[in-house]
Amino acid sequence: MPVRRRRAPRRRCAASLALLCGLAAASLACDRPGPDASDAAASAGPTGPGAAADAEPAPPGDAAAEPDGATSEPGGATSEPGGATSEPGGATSEPSQDAGSSDGGSSDGGSPDGGSPDGGAPDGGLPGSSEGCPDDMVLVEGDYCPLVNQVCLKHHKEFVKDKARQANSYSEAEGPSSVSERCLEYKQPTECLSKKRTPMRYCVDRYEWPNRKGEVPALLVSWREAVKACEGVGKRLCTEDEFNLACEGEEMLPYTYGYVRDPTKCNIDRPFRQRELTLYRYERCMKDPKCKAELERLDQRVPAGSMPACVSPFGAYDLNGNINEWVVRPGRKSPDRSGLKGGWWGPMRGRCRPTVGFHKEEDYGYEQGFRCCKDAAAR
């Protein structure tokens, strides 16, 4: 009997341990929430200096997936993407009715020689120059300011209300914030805080991948897929600084079109739709009726170049909004070399300078795509 009394607690302990393990396993199968803290100091407030890294709070049920290869986890692929031979992330998808177009795009992964989106002829009459670049890219040349001060004069009322809630002593009981900092107007001009500017000269895709006017941009694409797709057409994924200069120009504009936020110019501030089902990698999602239907419900992309005012000082389209774009974060080690820039269609920050840095290289989501860069030809 004494022996049985000693063993009973062990059985109860083993059962408790099994229960805890089960709960832990269940939690790993859930989407990872995005942190509220930024990766580096940036101009989230009225007077803070802007920097290259600035995390965006993830909305509830963010679509970014953990790469684990599970059959029920969103995305779930463990193999490396097939580079230029497989189209990453949705050039063949038909946008939802909200996307404003029935053009499903093409499954072509892009020509290796960087040909233009119109079959080899340069885009006539479009802003910017392709001097020293392939016809489907624009030249970005100027002096880049690494550290800026962008002063917000007026925030969106949703953000103001959420800041007041957080100031309440009982706010912790309501959970972390998922409200993004949206500034409606910035002080002019932006101040460069760096002692020296960096001369830069390179090429950037005129449109988001697959870099063809009139096609919806790719989505459900991981950073590693983006790297291989760009390499497959003789280009490379853009760096943070390259994206910044291409988007904001030497004037360091907060938004690609200026200092005042305007959802009529770029595809931003669409109503947020809560994701209700897990999403797989794009190709797999298109073969799963439930996943495909959920993606179409969430999708609010517009065709590349369909908003003519959403163009940068150098002639690149949709650098703000439409789809978040993967970039390389130099100096980081795997799996933290990945960053997202520009914002997507939802009610998010959606401007040039911030970088979302908490998504790992294998992550992907319905709001994540990319474009490519390339060294410009020598003069």
Side-chain angles (χ1 to χ4, degrees), residues 32-39 53-59 62 64 66 324 326 329 332 335-336 338-340 349 355-361 363 367-368:
R32 183 180 61 218
D36 294 317
S38 63
D39 293 313
D54 191 8
E56 183 110 62
D62 180 42
E66 292 283 358
N324 254 330
W326 287 115
R329 307 175 78 194
R332 306 258 179 169
D336 298 314
S338 52
L340 286 165
R349 188 174 284 119
T355 298
V356 179
F358 59 82
H359 291 291
K360 305 302 181 183
E361 296 171 17
D363 291 350
E367 78 285 13
Q368 297 168 5

Side-chain angles (χ1 to χ4, degrees), residues 200-222:
M200 298 177 71
R201 185 173 183 268
Y202 57 96
C203 308
V204 65
D205 282 350
R206 188 181 293 275
Y207 308 107
E208 295 156 320
W209 184 272
N211 195 24
R212 288 189 283 269
K213 185 177 181 179
E215 294 194 15
V216 290
L219 42 64
L220 292 176
V221 183
S222 74

Side-chain angles (χ1 to χ4, degrees), residues 4 9 32 64 80 111 142 220 225 315 330-331:
R4 291 179 181 176
R32 183 180 61 218
E80 289 291 334
S111 58
L220 292 176
E225 285 180 298

Side-chain angles (χ1 to χ4, degrees), residues 269-273 300 345-347:
D269 293 343
R270 296 287 190 100
F272 176 71
R273 297 173 182 174
Q300 298 182 68
W345 64 75

Side-chain angles (χ1 to χ4, degrees), residues 137-178:
M137 306 184 84
V138 293
L139 176 67
V140 177
E141 184 173 21
D143 293 329
Y144 172 67
C145 178
L147 187 62
V148 304
N149 182 34
Q150 295 176 332
V151 180
C152 182
L153 300 178
K154 182 181 179 182
H155 278 103
H156 192 281
K157 61 182 180 180
E158 181 185 53
F159 179 75
V160 174
K161 182 178 180 180
D162 188 67
K163 294 296 287 185
R165 179 192 67 81
Q166 293 181 56
N168 187 297
S169 59
Y170 299 101
S171 61
E172 290 185 5
E174 300 180 28
S177 172
S178 62

